[in-house]
Amino acid sequence: MTVNIPVKNIAKRQVNMQPNAKKTEQKFSYEVKSLRMTDVSTMLEIHNKGQIPRTPQQSANKIATQMFYDIVDDKGKLIESEIAIYSKVNPEYKELKLYSPVDSTAKFITIKPFTCFVNKNGKAVEDKNGNLVKEYHKALEMKIQIAK
């Protein structure tokens, strides 16, 4: 018995870029190897290397985890992160991050690296509203022009 399932490609827009853009702070660096945007998703391939930069918020009871990445468009709208796939996590690792789609009129995106924290017991540090405490690394922010 054969079952035919109709499939329709709804992604009319496809932007594939290899920016190979790199930023470094202290002993940590990351490189954006590829950026793929369609009408249904945004995928970012990042290579990370080194120790997470120390921040003023860190202490014996507030330990930085790995680096995470928010993306905002040229209007400042946060693009929602959906999922991440990691290779070996320390000290050098690659990740593929899947986000919601970026608006097709956006001229650029900004990648905003941040760390979250855990306490000495390994529990995530949250603010009074129950959200993860994030510390952004301004020196690592990267603006990528979107090819049209």
Side-chain angles (χ1 to χ4, degrees):
M1 177 168 112
T2 301
V3 177
N4 291 322
I5 301 172
V7 177
K8 183 177 179 182
N9 182 359
I10 60 172
K12 293 179 175 49
R13 172 181 69 127
Q14 286 199 15
V15 176
N16 292 300
M17 299 171 51
Q18 285 77 38
N20 294 318
K22 187 175 183 178
K23 285 281 191 158
T24 301
E25 181 183 21
Q26 297 173 20
K27 295 179 180 179
F28 177 82
S29 66
Y30 78 101
E31 183 175 5
V32 176
K33 298 298 273 182
S34 69
L35 174 65
R36 181 172 185 253
M37 297 183 298
T38 70
D39 297 320
V40 294
S41 67
T42 301
M43 185 175 290
L44 191 62
E45 179 186 357
I46 297 176
H47 292 192
N48 300 283
K49 185 176 184 179
Q51 183 179 348
I52 301 296
R54 288 207 48 83
T55 67
Q57 284 195 40
Q58 284 183 254
S59 68
N61 291 323
K62 208 171 178 187
I63 304 152
T65 59
Q66 71 186 59
M67 194 65 73
F68 297 95
Y69 301 90
D70 276 346
I71 296 178
V72 295
D73 67 15
D74 56 355
K75 296 165 191 69
K77 178 185 172 200
L78 179 67
I79 309 304
E80 295 295 320
S81 177
E82 305 291 337
I83 193 169
I85 301 168
Y86 303 95
S87 66
K88 180 181 173 206
V89 174
N90 256 336
E92 185 173 345
Y93 60 99
K94 300 174 186 177
E95 61 185 300
L96 286 174
K97 296 208 41 110
L98 185 64
Y99 297 84
S100 297
V102 173
D103 188 286
S104 63
T105 62
K107 293 177 177 49
F108 64 86
I109 61 166
T110 302
I111 299 172
K112 300 178 69 149
F114 67 92
T115 48
C116 293
F117 301 94
V118 294
N119 64 24
K120 61 184 177 184
N121 297 323
K123 187 175 185 307
V125 176
E126 299 176 341
D127 63 17
K128 62 183 177 187
N129 297 320
N131 299 313
L132 290 176
V133 172
K134 294 180 178 182
E135 179 149 5
Y136 287 92
H137 295 265
K138 186 81 171 155
L140 292 171
E141 283 189 11
M142 184 184 301
K143 183 192 267 188
I144 298 178
Q145 299 292 326
I146 298 173
K148 295 293 178 181

